[in-house]
Amino acid sequence: MADTRDLIIGIDAGTSVMKAVAFTLQGRQVASASARNAYVTGEDGSATQSLDQTWVDCVAALKGLGARIDNLAQRVAAIAVTGQGDGTWLVGAGNRPVGDAWLWLDARAAPTVDRLAGEGADRARFEATGTGLNTCQQGAQMAHMDRFARDLLDRAEVALHCKDWLYLNLTGVRATDPSEVSFTFGNFRTRRYDDTVLSALGLSHRRALLPQVVEGTEVLHPLSPEAAAACGLLAGTPVCLGYVDMVMTALGAGVRSGGQNAACSAIGSTGVHMRAKAVEDVVLNAEGTGYVICLPIPGIVTQVQTNMGATINLDWLLQMGADLLAEFGQTVSLSDMIARIDPWVAASRPGNLVYHPYISEAGERGPFVDARARANFSGLSVRHRFPDLVRAVVEGLGLATRDCYAAMGALPPELRLSGGAARSAALRGTLSAAVGAPVRVSHREEAGAAGASMMAAVAIGAYPTMDACIADWVDPGLGQAEPPAAEEAARMDRLYTAYRQIRQGIAPSWETLSARPATTTEDERSVA
């Protein structure tokens, strides 16, 4: 009887959407289904998500996929799972949640981050993990819990991440992967837990909470009968624990191809900039920022810098224009304004206007960390009009991208782009000129689910190596290389010098500007 198992299901548990995507063994996307996630925020900076509801959402997405593909259960060769990184998902007796998960959005650990960052041991932690300490991370959150919510850790038996929780529900196995381990509690060189890191976080006495490390390209666990019944799949189906969604997306979008390391930027609300490197080529910056996250390829990691605000800068400027038009009775949607970006850039003249895209009220996190950082235009004159401002903001995103890659060492020889913003010719040309390298757009849909599914494809023997899998799954989806215009590359090189000078010069003013203005009393207002 012929083997009918010709599909891999990739589960991608994002912060707001849970996706289940079916791919052929050769990487063609067949169908997808999704369910909305929900999380709760509080005035204390909390951002939490129900573990039980997250599993319910995963089941719903898998059932939705089954409704779209005939005989799905019999066709599934493997299931792979990835998901949002960082955060703390505590599980106790009977594999039941201790409470709601603390998400990567949770800011309650900020005082603990400040305390740990000021201690002498933090540089040693950074040298091991390659990752700057921030409130997103499980290490910082657990260190905060250990002081201010100790009962949570006392009642827990294991500290997981989002995808690990789903893997537990799918297989009954408590585990995590090398990527989460290396940038949270471990060493990116060994892909194992590191005593120096645990000591620096003050968590050596909590080591028993850390789960086993499973390499998903080598180790699979069977789908449990309980999970199979819930999802409508077959018990015993191999399940692969993928790496964190950030590097799964990078893998699916082309951060490595043709056996060569490359760079990949995802330009969305935030900017995520990743470069695949051999471990020995990693350059750690003096500021102690960014991430180093393992890829599921021996000896290869991604070095990552993320800038807080990318397309939200354009949204802000375009909404200003729409609001002004509304004052005169002209209703224009933001999507209508976005469609005008390329024509406005084309209508403007290349010049010397510089924009720093720190529009987020959370400031900046890459390649430097300053919650008080704010956006600004430099070089304005009476001749500048709205299209010039649009051009400056687009170029600001390009300069911020270069700033992030420069913090990782030499600029990349080629840049792959993913995300909806990559459809803009103006943005592609600007990024190419800013980095001084050709850009190629990745046309792979659902790159995160694809990256995890690629790991499963290797694990079940469909491909002998990840590079062989990449040749089928990634390379055909990369667009043609678009080289930078020589004169634009030279201009952006000059603007970058000014960009750095202005950023470093204005930084001391951010603290002054962040001070709360003195309040005016009722008596003072009446006198005025």
Side-chain angles (χ1 to χ4, degrees), residues 440-484:
R440 298 175 74 183
V441 175
S442 169
H443 298 289
R444 161 63 76 185
E445 296 181 20
E446 307 299 352
S453 297
M454 290 164 66
M455 288 185 60
V458 172
I460 64 175
Y463 292 93
T465 65
M466 185 57 71
D467 281 333
C469 184
I470 288 169
D472 281 352
W473 283 62
V474 176
D475 292 359
L478 293 174
Q480 293 295 315
E482 302 176 39

Side-chain angles (χ1 to χ4, degrees), residues 44-47 87-88 102-117 133-148 201:
D44 60 349
S46 61
T88 306
W102 288 30
L103 296 189
W104 64 274
L105 293 163
D106 200 295
R108 283 176 286 180
T112 297
V113 169
D114 290 340
R115 174 178 61 82
L116 292 172
L133 191 65
N134 60 62
T135 59
C136 302
Q137 294 161 359
Q138 188 178 97
Q141 292 179 358
M142 286 179 60
H144 190 75
M145 291 176 185
D146 196 53
R147 282 200 169 193
F148 302 107
L201 293 168

Side-chain angles (χ1 to χ4, degrees), residues 210-492:
L210 306 185
Q212 65 174 308
V213 184
V214 169
E215 171 50 58
T217 59
E218 300 173 358
V219 178
L220 301 166
H221 290 102
L223 185 67
S224 71
E226 297 80 9
C231 302
L233 300 173
L234 297 183
T237 301
V239 183
C240 168
L241 179 57
Y243 284 20
V244 65
D245 62 353
M246 188 184 297
V247 291
M248 292 293 87
T249 299
L251 185 68
V255 78
R256 181 177 168 93
S257 64
Q260 300 297 313
N261 297 323
C264 179
S265 286
I267 308 297
S269 296
T270 63
V272 181
H273 312 289
M274 299 166 278
R275 185 159 186 193
K277 291 183 174 183
V279 166
E280 58 269 22
D281 294 334
V282 170
V283 176
L284 299 178
N285 61 22
E287 293 82 1
T289 64
Y291 285 71
V292 175
I293 310 179
C294 300
L295 278 171
I297 304 170
I300 305 297
V301 299
T302 52
Q303 195 162 6
V304 186
Q305 287 282 349
T306 60
N307 58 292
M308 191 72 75
T311 59
I312 61 171
N313 289 271
L314 283 165
D315 292 345
W316 161 77
L317 180 62
L318 298 178
Q319 190 60 56
M320 291 271 285
D323 291 346
L324 182 60
L325 289 171
E327 292 287 327
F328 294 90
Q330 299 294 319
T331 301
V332 181
S333 69
L334 184 58
S335 60
D336 291 335
M337 298 289 283
I338 290 172
R340 293 290 307 163
I341 290 175
D342 282 8
W344 272 324
V345 172
S348 65
R349 293 179 58 188
N352 298 320
L353 190 55
V354 174
Y355 176 75
H356 289 80
Y358 313 141
I359 202 69
S360 169
E361 291 190 342
E364 188 52 278
R365 62 184 177 187
F368 66 97
V369 177
D370 193 332
R372 296 161 299 193
R374 291 296 180 266
N376 63 277
F377 287 98
S378 298
L380 282 168
S381 74
V382 294
R383 69 175 178 81
H384 288 121
R385 295 295 182 265
F386 194 75
D388 300 303
L389 301 186
V390 173
R391 172 187 279 274
V393 172
V394 170
E395 291 180 349
L397 303 188
L399 295 169
T401 297
R402 174 166 175 165
D403 213 18
C404 284
Y405 280 114
M408 307 181 210
L411 295 176
E414 184 175 280
L415 181 61
R416 280 80 191 270
L417 299 179
S418 65
R423 291 191 291 267
S424 166
L427 181 62
R428 295 197 306 273
T430 296
L431 290 171
S432 177
V435 178
V439 300
R440 298 175 74 183
V441 175
S442 169
H443 298 289
R444 161 63 76 185
E445 296 181 20
E446 307 299 352
S453 297
M454 290 164 66
M455 288 185 60
V458 172
I460 64 175
Y463 292 93
T465 65
M466 185 57 71
D467 281 333
C469 184
I470 288 169
D472 281 352
W473 283 62
V474 176
D475 292 359
L478 293 174
Q480 293 295 315
E482 302 176 39
E487 64 277 11
E488 278 299 285
R491 186 176 67 87
M492 293 297 286

Side-chain angles (χ1 to χ4, degrees), residues 468-519:
C469 184
I470 288 169
D472 281 352
W473 283 62
V474 176
D475 292 359
L478 293 174
Q480 293 295 315
E482 302 176 39
E487 64 277 11
E488 278 299 285
R491 186 176 67 87
M492 293 297 286
D493 195 55
R494 179 169 51 80
L495 289 184
Y496 180 66
T497 299
Y499 181 91
R500 291 271 301 178
Q501 291 170 337
I502 295 166
R503 188 249 281 177
Q504 292 167 351
I506 202 172
S509 301
W510 291 331
E511 182 173 2
T512 304
L513 294 171
S514 68
R516 292 178 179 270
T519 58

Side-chain angles (χ1 to χ4, degrees), residues 18 35-38 49 52-62:
M18 178 79 65
R36 296 292 302 181
N37 285 340
Q49 185 169 319
D52 284 336
Q53 185 60 48
T54 302
W55 170 240
V56 169
D57 294 339
C58 181
V59 170
L62 289 169

Side-chain angles (χ1 to χ4, degrees), residues 9-29:
I9 296 176
I11 300 168
D12 188 354
T15 307
S16 57
V17 179
M18 178 79 65
K19 299 176 182 176
V21 188
F23 302 91
T24 67
L25 298 186
Q26 296 74 37
R28 180 176 63 84
Q29 184 171 318

